[in-house]
Amino acid sequence: PSDAELMQRFGSGDDAAFRQVVDRHHRGLLNFFWRRCFDRAMAEDCAQEVFLRLVRHRGKWRPDAKFTTYLYRIAENYWIDRYRSKKAAPNIGSLSTTMGADGPSVGETVPDNVRAPEERAQDHELAERIREAVSKLTDEQRSVFVLATTQNMRYAEIGQVLEIPVGTVKSRMHAAVTRLRQLLKEDGRDIT
C-alpha cells in the first residue's frame, strides 16, 4: 500500500498501518538526523519523536501533499525546535564512534566491498573530511544539502519541507556546494 493509504488507515485507527509507516521511513529519518548531529543515539531519539508527533496528530494528515514532504517537514520543525530550546550544537562524532554500548562502530556498519585496505583507508579519510566540512555549513545550507543528498529530494520538495521558495533552495544548495569545495580545498587536498 502507498504511504497515503497507510496514513488514511492509521488515521482511522489501524495501528498496524502505522507500524508499516514506521518500518518504511525509520531508516530515512535516522539518516536525516544522523547527518545533522553525527550522534546515533540523538538521531534515534529525534526519529522516535517525529513518529510520536505523527501519533499525536493522527488523522490530521491530508493527501493534498506527498507524505514524505509532510514527514520531513515535521522532522525539520522538530530539529529547529530542539536546536532552539537546547541550543544544541551538532555533536561531531566519527566513524569509529560506537552505535550503542556494546554495538559496532558506525564505520563497521557501513558495508564494504572486497577492496584493498589502502582504498578503504582513503575512502574513510575522504568521508571524514566531507563529514567535517558538512558540519561547518550553516544550518540553512546543511538542511538543504542533507535533504537533497540523503533523501534524494528534488528542489521543489525541499522547498515544501522547509517552506521556502525553490529559488532559495537553489541558492542555499549552491552556497553549500561552494562552501564544501572551499573547505575541502583548504586542507590542501581538493577533491573537485
Side-chain angles (χ1 to χ4, degrees):
S2 70
D3 289 334
E5 292 169 338
L6 290 173
M7 285 302 292
Q8 288 173 340
R9 287 179 16 207
F10 172 58
S12 299
D14 183 351
D15 291 333
F18 180 69
R19 171 58 40 222
Q20 285 182 283
V21 169
V22 171
D23 290 344
R24 188 176 288 175
H25 295 285
H26 182 260
R27 178 180 221 135
L29 279 175
L30 192 61
N31 285 332
F32 172 80
F33 286 116
W34 188 81
R35 299 251 189 244
R36 288 301 191 71
C37 62
F38 300 106
D39 179 320
R40 172 72 181 208
M42 184 185 294
E44 283 281 359
D45 289 346
C46 291
Q48 192 170 42
E49 181 60 33
V50 168
F51 288 122
L52 285 173
R53 288 181 180 200
L54 272 180
V55 170
R56 283 187 212 124
H57 296 97
R58 170 185 256 175
K60 292 185 180 178
W61 178 77
R62 300 289 173 250
D64 53 339
K66 224 172 130 178
F67 173 71
T68 53
T69 301
Y70 177 73
L71 181 68
Y72 285 97
R73 180 73 230 153
I74 293 171
E76 181 67 17
N77 285 341
Y78 175 71
W79 182 256
I80 290 168
D81 292 346
R82 180 183 177 96
Y83 187 82
R84 284 182 184 156
S85 68
K86 295 187 179 186
K87 300 291 183 203
N91 179 15
I92 307 303
S94 75
L95 291 177
S96 61
T97 303
T98 60
M99 294 173 69
D102 296 326
S105 72
V106 174
E108 291 170 338
T109 63
V110 177
D112 68 344
N113 296 329
V114 180
R115 297 176 47 216
E118 312 81 51
E119 290 176 10
R120 289 195 311 260
Q122 288 172 347
D123 288 350
H124 174 73
E125 180 183 338
L126 177 60
E128 199 63 28
R129 287 174 46 223
I130 292 171
R131 184 199 53 76
E132 287 175 23
V134 168
S135 73
K136 293 177 182 176
L137 295 175
T138 66
D139 199 42
E140 291 83 12
Q141 292 169 348
R142 192 176 319 118
S143 294
V144 170
F145 186 80
V146 167
L147 288 170
T149 59
T150 66
Q151 303 307 316
N152 297 320
M153 287 188 176
R154 297 182 185 280
Y155 289 169
E157 291 174 295
I158 295 170
Q160 290 175 341
V161 167
L162 299 178
E163 296 178 340
I164 57 176
V166 173
T168 303
V169 173
K170 290 178 182 179
S171 174
R172 288 181 184 176
M173 181 58 101
H174 177 73
V177 170
T178 300
R179 179 73 176 133
L180 287 172
R181 284 185 178 145
Q182 176 189 18
L183 290 167
L184 293 168
K185 266 186 183 178
E186 286 175 2
D187 71 7
R189 294 170 287 179
D190 184 19
I191 65 166
T192 57

